[in-house]
Amino acid sequence: MDTAAPRPKENQGAPLPRIDARLKVTGQAHYPADLPTANIAYGALATSSIARGKVTKLHLDDARAVPGLLDIVTYGDMDKVDKPKFGNSGATSIGPLHDRTIFHDGQIIALAVAETFEAAEEAAQLIRAEYEDDKPTASFDSPGTKTVPAAGKSPLFKEDVKAGDFDAAYAAAAVKIDQRYSTPTQHHNPIELFSTTAFWEGDQLVVHEASQNVTGWKVELARQLKIDPGKVRIVSPFIGGAFGSKGPMTPRTAIVAVAAKRLGRPVRCVTSRMQAFGIQTYRAETRHRIRIGAGKDGRITAFAHEGWEVTSRPDLYVVGGTSATGRMYDYGSVLTHVSLVQADRNTPGYMRSPPETPYVYALENAMDEMAVTLGMDPVEFRRINEPKTEPIGKKPFSSRSLIQCYDQAAEAFGWAKRDSKVGAMHDGDWLIGMGCATAIYPTAVAPCAARVRLTADGEVRVQCGSHEIGTGVRTVAAQMASERLGVGIDKISVEMGDSSLPPAPVSGGSISTASVCSAVLKACDAIRTKLYAAATAEGGPLAGSHNEEFDLADGKIVAKGGASAKVEDVLKTMQVGAIEEYVEFAPKGATPEALNKLYAGTPEFHGADQDEDSVKYAFGAEFVEVRINRYTREIRVPRIVGAFAAGRIMNTRTARSQLMGGMIWGIGQALHEATEVDRRYARYVNRDLQDYLVPVNADIKDLQVILVPEVDHAVNPAGVKGLGELGNVGTAAAVASAVYHATGKRIRDLPIRIEHLLS
Amino acid sequence: MRPFIYEQPTDISAAVAIASRFTTKDDQPTRANAQFIGGGTNLADYMKLGVAEPGRLLDLNRLEDPGLRQIRVTDDGIRFGALVRMGEASDHAEVKRRYPVIADSLRLAASGQIRNMASLAGNILQRTRCEYFRETSWHCNKRVPGSGCAAMEGFNRQHAVLGGSDACIATYHGDFAQALIALDAVLHAEGSRGARKIPFAKLHRQPGDTPHIETDLAADEIVSAIEVPAIEWARRSLYLKIRDRESYAFALASAAVALDLDGDNVREARIALGGVATVPWRARAAEEALQGKKLDETSAGVAADAAFAEAQPRQHNAFKIELGKRTLVRALLEARDMEV
């Protein structure tokens, strides 16, 4: 076994290579901007250069003079189309061409369509706008912000969680800290650029666009275009990086669909890297105040977490990570409050572990500070405060292996060799620091439909409208079918990423593996039941067998007693060539409308903090070593170890890959990533990968992922806790902890940069 | 991108002739209607962004003179043909042995792919990556003379603290140029007014009131070679580049140093600074401060103070003064301790 394919431990599946790996590395996987290829017209966006005001005049003559220009879609051309809605399927309520008001930098003002990509780009660059501009509000501390409480503003953030009497407990605490932390604006920057290709076949609209939510988009796009959702198809078979950026649909999709209708031919719009900063969502800037009170023994008695988050004027997007931070440890008393700060910015949105990344960063940095204040080892401090039940609703955790994660990661990292004294460790001119932090991610699951077909020759086809965003969901769905139907992985094909397939929930919230595998499991079991019933029926090859225990292996039904029958023969007795099952999986606790909502593109999430019986989370512990040059203070991360427990691991290779990617991203969040905002104009400054830094290969040296075995039957039938977003939670706090250990400097504002360590 | 005519001349005189026909004496090379392209790693990018808009592009990669692609080591020094790729020069055994500072400066620049494409002459003529210059919706005196500078009071973390003016504080981001200016390199150029030699230190112009005038070159002049004089003690030289990540990032501060030592005493020091100035920056005051002195942390610190005595910080880049000084101190001490 090599590092990339860890040997499975208990309750962990084989490290099968991705079933679509070959297609991807040989260029045969078709991404949404690759197809179709015939008769394409090309679209390019023109966007605003102000953040607040009105477009008073558009000069289109120069653009119209570009040879090959076909059309310009702009104000007035979208009047027969409904405005977008903000929500799970819609990134913003701003209809950029519905009204001349500018709400943010980089807002769409026109779409130029031409015979070639180059002509479209040239024309878009030649569109000049005149503005009546107004002084914009950039962010926190800018004049003109409006602050509102977050609770109740989003279905995902109903309340500010609390428990006990924080004020009294904090006042009485022997040891306390009261600190503020912040995280910057970040953009997803997936390598695949954002694109939309739309064409009409009669009254049927087909859209090729990278999407994490084909069903939701189908319904929302049909609503905007005022047509039947059955007339809209969204196609997104492969996605070149999503991270939440392709979860909600943006206003561009309807604009390109309208352009395709006007021209009567396919229109493809691939947006530029720079434009993506304004036309897509992003991770909101956040600020935090954390107060922790504890006894001298290290037992926490009081915890308060206040958060402030930037959002747009029209839409109240809530980050809101206090549900997780408020349940992390055995606090005694908890007080939380989240506020939204509205500014002249585009609407933020989901970005890998949206609530947890900033909120847990603040919590874990504070936990490290508190450990230092108490003079305790930070691992020991967390061990002391390990809860039996979560502090808010006093519910048990369905499973919680945090301490096992700490123990295994600490062992692998060599934590015991750390000299706890600040600045005590060095190697020549390099100061060495070591730190750690907790990772947590809520375990949710949603309704999901799937169709599975088994044919007499042993071929299996799995169809599910989920999305391969790089997680390996196609592969794990195939593994589930392989296991339940007893056929080799090479006999299984999996179709995903198309709204004409059985609907799956949005691929967000790390629910896909749990939801899809639960649906595939249910479909396979329905096939098994039919096969066994036919095999044991009168005249069947296993007639008379009443033992309900059997298995499917190598194309055969094998009863517990040893008798077996070929699936092929059973199908013959059934007089069918294939068995196909269409199933709908609904998680425990689903409402009667749950499945209708799945088809409507608004799936219910269950689990996490929503269930009556228990709360459900996956956990991890990350340990980081940093090296900081004595003179020049650049910060490097030679080593990182993460141990994670997430119920059943379907595939140790894809699981490790997800966690590794998350940890690397976490290092980037700690040291590199930030979208810089020019505060005078509320405009983004570093709008490309030259200036928006993410880690490169040279930044990542020794990285180890440990998959800690865990069994949890309560989370969902597949026993799976999502882990796609677990790896980048806590990482930045572990880096901050290590930087403190090396230098004695506590950096509370991300990213941590050279200039913070020079004085 | 604006449509353009693309030509591939096969000798320098033909290239010069075409350029002369489509430019005037007063045209700046970066603003002329006809422009030369080498590896294209900078110009093609700026054409796509609408920052550079030549109507005619003269690709120099078909020039037949083999000298343009050669690295020649002689008793007088080393001569780099203008079309030598960055990667070829950084991997050249004699370059690495005789001038570690040159090899380092190239190796630590850009990415492997870019180093394989980018020519040496193109590298030294690369334009600033100032965010406000790169994106055409901002005011920029360098891109549109007289339009103002959005960086001055904007997000200017990467901007220069040395050599700026009220009109422009855009950083010169190149690395190779710091090695060349430290080693007193000389350029060979050919244009319609004949061939000439240009001391490297005279090539780039500080922004002053005319930040759109970036170099001393005429619009129809082609750099054909870069000559570095033989400096026996340049084996004790290095390039130290400090940046936010380990690779593929511009310097926040860098130092090119070469030392002629007598024991621990400095006979002569050559110092250039990158990431902190508007042009390749020779730190002569720092060199003078070290001359005849014992090189240690204290004297290196005095030299670093001298190097940044004139520095002008802005809101977000003040740290570059301290970082630049520390970078220079570290570079000097590491060069002192080199085994040569």
Side-chain angles (χ1 to χ4, degrees):
Chain A
M1 291 276 165
D2 61 27
T3 312
R7 186 187 300 279
K9 298 174 221 164
E10 184 200 350
N11 202 29
Q12 298 179 354
L16 283 180
R18 291 158 191 269
I19 59 172
D20 40 22
R22 190 178 181 82
L23 289 178
K24 287 185 174 181
V25 300
T26 56
Q28 295 175 78
H30 289 128
Y31 289 79
D34 294 337
L35 290 175
T37 54
N39 195 30
I40 289 280
Y42 295 85
L45 297 173
T47 56
S48 75
S49 59
I50 65 160
R52 180 186 169 103
K54 253 189 158 31
V55 175
T56 52
K57 192 156 192 222
L58 272 187
H59 297 275
L60 303 176
D61 291 350
D62 290 350
R64 289 200 198 283
V66 170
L69 187 92
L70 295 168
D71 195 9
I72 295 176
V73 181
T74 184
Y75 301 111
D77 298 329
M78 297 293 289
D79 289 354
K80 289 183 184 151
V81 170
D82 275 346
K83 275 179 65 176
K85 268 189 189 162
F86 171 65
N88 239 342
S89 306
T92 176
S93 63
I94 298 167
L97 299 182
H98 282 81
D99 129 29
R100 288 167 174 262
T101 307
I102 298 293
F103 294 96
H104 61 84
D105 175 32
Q107 184 174 314
I108 295 171
I109 58 175
L111 173 74
V113 187
E115 292 286 355
T116 65
F117 172 72
E118 290 76 12
E121 285 271 289
E122 189 191 0
Q125 285 182 6
L126 289 171
I127 292 172
R128 300 266 180 263
E130 283 179 33
Y131 302 103
E132 182 185 291
D133 58 338
D134 199 357
K135 191 155 178 51
T137 299
S139 183
F140 298 126
D141 302 336
S142 304
T145 57
K146 184 181 169 199
T147 302
V148 297
K153 299 297 190 302
S154 156
L156 299 174
F157 193 80
K158 299 191 180 87
E159 56 174 350
D160 288 320
V161 296
K162 57 176 189 278
D165 185 347
F166 167 81
D167 290 333
Y170 187 71
V175 184
K176 31 185 130 171
I177 62 162
D178 179 352
Q179 289 296 354
R180 288 172 185 269
Y181 306 86
S182 74
T183 66
T185 303
Q186 296 174 339
H187 279 78
H188 313 77
N189 277 305
I191 289 301
E192 178 193 28
L193 294 170
F194 296 100
S195 76
T196 306
T197 303
F199 59 97
W200 294 79
E201 292 170 334
D203 61 353
Q204 174 90 32
L205 171 64
V206 182
V207 173
H208 289 247
E209 180 172 339
S211 171
Q212 295 171 254
N213 186 7
V214 290
T215 303
W217 288 27
K218 175 183 78 173
V219 175
E220 170 61 12
L221 186 56
R223 188 195 64 74
Q224 288 178 32
L225 297 173
K226 303 185 200 176
I227 57 177
D228 185 322
K231 300 285 187 196
V232 176
R233 182 177 164 213
I234 310 284
V235 185
S236 176
F238 289 94
I239 299 169
F243 317 116
S245 66
K246 293 157 184 169
M249 190 174 68
T250 67
R252 176 185 77 249
T253 309
I255 295 170
V256 176
V258 166
K261 182 104 188 170
R262 283 157 65 106
L263 281 175
R265 65 190 271 198
V267 173
R268 171 171 304 145
C269 173
V270 179
T271 65
S272 72
R273 175 74 57 195
M274 278 188 174
Q275 285 174 338
F277 282 74
I279 60 166
Q280 294 289 143
T281 62
Y282 61 96
R283 194 193 289 286
E285 270 163 279
T286 67
R287 286 183 173 179
H288 307 261
R289 178 189 183 197
I290 290 194
R291 285 172 286 169
I292 302 176
K296 288 194 171 127
D297 58 357
R299 291 190 63 89
I300 299 173
T301 54
F303 170 68
H305 193 164
E306 292 158 86
W308 293 264
E309 310 159 358
V310 170
T311 188
S312 66
R313 296 279 185 201
D315 305 316
L316 296 174
Y317 175 81
V318 182
V319 179
T322 43
S323 173
T325 61
R327 289 181 168 88
M328 185 82 103
Y329 300 111
D330 192 13
Y331 298 118
S333 62
V334 176
L335 180 72
T336 67
H337 186 67
V338 175
S339 302
L340 304 178
V341 177
Q342 294 180 269
D344 298 308
R345 299 279 294 277
N346 48 330
T347 304
Y350 309 107
M351 183 159 155
R352 204 173 191 175
S353 37
E356 288 72 25
T357 296
Y359 277 78
V360 173
Y361 159 72
L363 165 63
E364 290 297 286
N365 208 345
M367 286 293 285
D368 196 70
E369 290 203 59
M370 192 65 182
V372 170
T373 307
L374 287 159
M376 290 185 80
D377 177 85
V379 178
E380 195 54 32
F381 181 46
R382 286 161 174 105
R383 197 187 306 276
I384 286 174
N385 289 291
E386 179 68 1
K388 293 211 167 49
T389 56
E390 53 89 15
I392 307 298
K394 313 291 182 212
K395 287 184 256 184
F397 292 85
S398 65
S399 58
R400 178 176 167 118
S401 308
L402 177 61
I403 297 304
Q404 290 90 325
C405 290
Y406 264 107
D407 288 344
Q408 293 191 27
E411 171 75 25
F413 184 81
W415 182 252
K417 290 187 214 128
R418 171 183 182 259
D419 183 338
S420 64
K421 207 163 133 255
V422 165
M425 302 180 78
H426 59 89
D427 176 5
D429 282 336
W430 292 86
L431 310 171
I432 297 175
M434 297 181 183
C436 62
T438 302
I440 181 172
Y441 196 81
T443 300
V445 63
C448 183
R451 185 188 290 123
V452 178
R453 184 169 72 186
L454 172 69
T455 50
D457 57 4
E459 301 274 343
V460 172
R461 187 181 69 181
V462 177
Q463 292 178 311
C464 176
S466 188
H467 320 82
E468 176 52 272
I469 54 176
T471 53
V473 66
R474 262 202 194 90
T475 305
V476 300
Q479 279 180 279
M480 181 57 88
S482 168
E483 182 185 305
R484 298 306 290 167
L485 298 178
V487 302
I489 205 87
D490 56 322
K491 293 280 202 180
I492 300 175
S493 61
V494 183
E495 293 171 24
M496 285 188 179
D498 190 324
S499 65
S500 62
L501 297 171
V506 54
S507 290
S510 294
I511 60 164
S512 285
T513 299
S515 309
V516 170
C517 286
S518 292
V520 172
L521 171 69
K522 187 174 176 181
C524 292
D525 285 354
I527 292 173
R528 287 166 62 102
T529 303
K530 275 196 180 165
L531 276 175
Y532 192 69
T536 55
E538 206 178 314
L542 298 179
S545 170
H546 297 298
N547 194 329
E548 291 299 313
E549 284 184 49
F550 66 97
D551 216 338
L552 257 62
D554 302 326
K556 280 186 241 168
I557 300 172
V558 184
K560 200 183 180 190
S564 72
K566 283 187 177 169
V567 167
E568 192 184 343
D569 294 336
V570 179
L571 291 181
K572 270 184 208 154
T573 65
M574 295 169 74
Q575 296 187 325
V576 297
I579 303 181
E580 183 170 270
E581 287 293 327
Y582 183 104
V583 303
E584 296 169 326
F585 160 72
K588 200 174 140 196
T591 65
E593 312 81 57
L595 289 164
N596 287 340
K597 282 153 89 177
L598 171 65
Y599 288 85
T602 53
E604 292 175 354
F605 279 31
H606 293 274
D609 56 9
Q610 298 296 307
D611 293 353
E612 289 302 318
D613 57 339
S614 61
V615 292
K616 300 170 175 76
Y617 291 92
F619 289 91
E622 298 186 22
F623 286 72
V624 168
E625 176 182 321
V626 300
R627 292 191 172 218
I628 299 170
N629 188 273
R630 184 162 77 86
Y631 293 102
T632 42
R633 299 278 158 167
E634 68 267 41
I635 310 158
R636 300 293 180 248
V637 180
R639 262 182 346 121
I640 178 167
V641 176
F644 306 92
R648 175 168 178 192
I649 302 299
M650 289 297 298
N651 178 323
T652 56
R653 181 196 300 266
T654 54
R656 173 186 173 275
S657 171
Q658 283 297 296
L659 292 163
M660 172 177 69
M663 289 159 72
I664 293 170
W665 198 340
I667 291 171
Q669 285 165 334
L671 301 176
H672 306 123
E673 264 193 77
T675 307
E676 306 293 353
V677 182
D678 190 310
R679 303 240 154 196
R680 300 165 299 173
Y681 304 105
R683 299 191 63 198
Y684 299 127
V685 179
N686 55 335
R687 301 193 299 164
D688 54 33
L689 291 175
Q690 170 189 290
D691 296 308
Y692 187 97
L693 298 187
V694 297
V696 294
N697 276 326
D699 290 300
I700 306 303
K701 306 282 201 289
D702 182 355
L703 182 150
Q704 188 183 350
V705 174
I706 300 167
L707 298 169
V708 176
E710 184 181 71
V711 177
D712 188 333
H713 295 300
V715 283
N716 51 64
V720 165
K721 292 179 174 179
L723 50 69
E725 297 170 84
L726 182 60
N728 64 325
V729 179
T731 321
V735 173
S737 158
V739 167
Y740 173 79
H741 179 232
T743 65
K745 283 187 183 298
R746 177 66 61 181
I747 309 302
R748 303 185 179 91
D749 304 314
L750 292 181
I752 304 169
R753 284 181 167 157
I754 289 176
E755 54 262 45
H756 300 134
L757 303 178
L758 283 173
S759 57
Chain B
M1 191 193 287
R2 179 183 168 195
F4 57 90
I5 293 163
Y6 176 74
E7 296 192 62
Q8 296 175 310
T10 54
D11 61 72
I12 286 194
S13 55
V16 168
I18 302 170
S20 296
R21 192 155 67 238
F22 294 100
T23 59
T24 68
K25 185 166 69 66
D26 298 327
D27 278 347
Q28 287 307 308
T30 54
R31 303 169 59 78
N33 192 40
Q35 295 186 24
F36 302 116
I37 188 163
T41 59
N42 190 202
L43 180 56
D45 188 24
Y46 278 156
M47 287 172 68
K48 285 194 270 186
L49 294 171
V51 172
E53 299 193 297
R56 184 172 296 262
L57 210 51
L58 307 179
D59 183 351
L60 302 181
N61 291 293
R62 297 290 171 94
L63 296 181
E64 283 166 359
D65 176 1
L68 291 167
R69 293 177 187 78
Q70 287 169 355
I71 300 173
R72 288 215 301 265
V73 183
T74 67
D75 289 346
D76 296 332
I78 197 158
R79 182 186 182 282
F80 296 97
L83 290 176
V84 169
R85 308 291 150 172
M86 292 171 72
E88 293 173 302
S90 70
D91 292 346
H92 193 274
E94 282 301 302
V95 174
K96 287 201 270 193
R97 198 172 70 84
R98 291 172 188 239
Y99 308 99
V101 63
I102 292 179
D104 287 352
S105 72
L106 291 163
R107 178 178 55 82
L108 296 172
S111 66
Q113 293 91 331
I114 291 173
R115 291 195 295 271
N116 287 340
M117 275 302 284
S119 68
L120 292 184
N123 176 277
I124 60 180
L125 294 170
Q126 67 181 285
R127 306 185 70 195
T128 185
R129 269 39 171 238
C130 168
E131 299 95 331
Y132 295 95
F133 170 77
R134 257 178 91 72
E135 215 265 277
T136 55
S137 64
W138 296 104
H139 292 305
C140 172
N141 288 322
K142 190 184 278 295
R143 188 166 22 77
V144 182
S147 63
C149 172
M152 205 65 71
E153 306 298 332
F155 182 74
N156 45 31
R157 177 176 185 260
Q158 57 127 309
H159 287 73
V161 292
L162 292 168
S165 70
D166 290 342
C168 182
I169 52 170
T171 300
Y172 175 83
H173 290 286
D175 299 299
F176 181 43
Q178 315 306 337
L180 294 178
I181 200 168
L183 298 174
D184 284 336
V186 173
L187 301 181
H188 290 249
E190 293 180 37
S192 59
R193 280 161 294 166
R196 63 171 177 145
K197 287 188 189 181
I198 309 169
F200 190 79
K202 302 265 188 209
L203 176 67
H204 292 88
R205 292 209 190 161
Q206 291 190 28
D209 295 334
T210 54
H212 60 288
I213 303 177
E214 297 180 12
T215 67
D216 192 47
L217 291 172
D220 64 0
E221 246 179 337
I222 296 172
V223 174
S224 57
I226 303 161
E227 269 181 13
V228 181
I231 303 173
E232 180 59 28
W233 44 268
R235 290 180 189 191
R236 184 181 298 286
S237 70
L238 59 78
Y239 186 70
L240 177 64
K241 182 173 181 180
I242 306 302
R243 41 189 166 171
D244 285 312
R245 65 184 176 194
E246 184 78 24
S247 177
Y248 199 23
F250 294 114
L252 291 169
S254 70
V257 301
L259 294 175
D260 182 10
L261 293 184
D262 175 11
D264 276 352
N265 287 327
V266 178
R267 269 196 292 257
E268 185 176 352
R270 299 286 185 84
I271 298 172
L273 303 173
V276 292
T278 55
V279 291
W281 193 263
R282 181 82 175 260
R284 290 193 186 272
E287 294 175 2
E288 283 158 22
L290 283 172
Q291 198 152 12
K293 300 277 171 23
K294 179 170 185 285
L295 179 54
D296 55 22
E297 197 157 341
T298 307
S299 64
V302 171
D305 286 343
F308 285 89
E310 310 284 312
Q312 293 283 333
R314 309 294 310 184
Q315 187 184 354
H316 299 282
N317 67 356
F319 75 99
K320 282 191 169 186
I321 298 175
E322 178 64 20
L323 180 63
K325 288 181 186 179
R326 292 186 187 204
T327 302
L328 178 53
V329 169
R330 184 177 153 196
L332 287 166
L333 298 179
E334 288 185 7
R336 178 194 66 185
D337 297 338
M338 280 173 82
E339 307 268 347
V340 295

